Amino acid sequence: MTGEGRTEKQVLEELSDEERALLKRVLQIERAKLHLRAYDPTDDLIAAVKEIIP
């Protein structure tokens, strides 16, 4: 997926708007998990994907 020598910034710049939105949502979910001990993100992740890819 990522080529040799590519930086994170280069990878992020190549993302489509939909991919950026999905990444942002996943990061929000991961951040929320830090505050909740028994958090199961499955439903949130599925909902986030469905928002981007109906």
Side-chain angles (χ1 to χ4, degrees), residues 1 3 6 9-11 15 19 22 28 30 32 37 39 41 45-46 49 52:
M1 296 279 181
R6 288 171 60 197
K9 183 178 178 182
Q10 289 170 321
V11 172
L15 294 177
E19 291 167 331
L22 179 58
Q28 288 171 338
E30 288 299 316
R37 221 176 233 215
Y39 180 72
L45 288 171
I46 290 171
V49 170
I52 305 303

Side-chain angles (χ1 to χ4, degrees), residues 2 5 7 11-13 18 23 25 39 44 46 49 51 53:
T2 59
T7 65
V11 172
L12 291 173
E13 288 172 349
E18 292 83 11
L23 177 59
R25 181 66 181 130
Y39 180 72
D44 286 339
I46 290 171
V49 170
E51 285 180 27
I53 305 168

Side-chain angles (χ1 to χ4, degrees), residues 13-44:
E13 288 172 349
E14 294 172 9
L15 294 177
S16 68
D17 289 342
E18 292 83 11
E19 291 167 331
R20 286 178 199 234
L22 179 58
L23 177 59
K24 181 179 178 180
R25 181 66 181 130
V26 169
L27 292 174
Q28 288 171 338
I29 292 167
E30 288 299 316
R31 186 179 305 133
K33 282 176 27 180
L34 295 174
H35 301 289
L36 299 174
R37 221 176 233 215
Y39 180 72
D40 180 8
T42 305
D43 291 337
D44 286 339

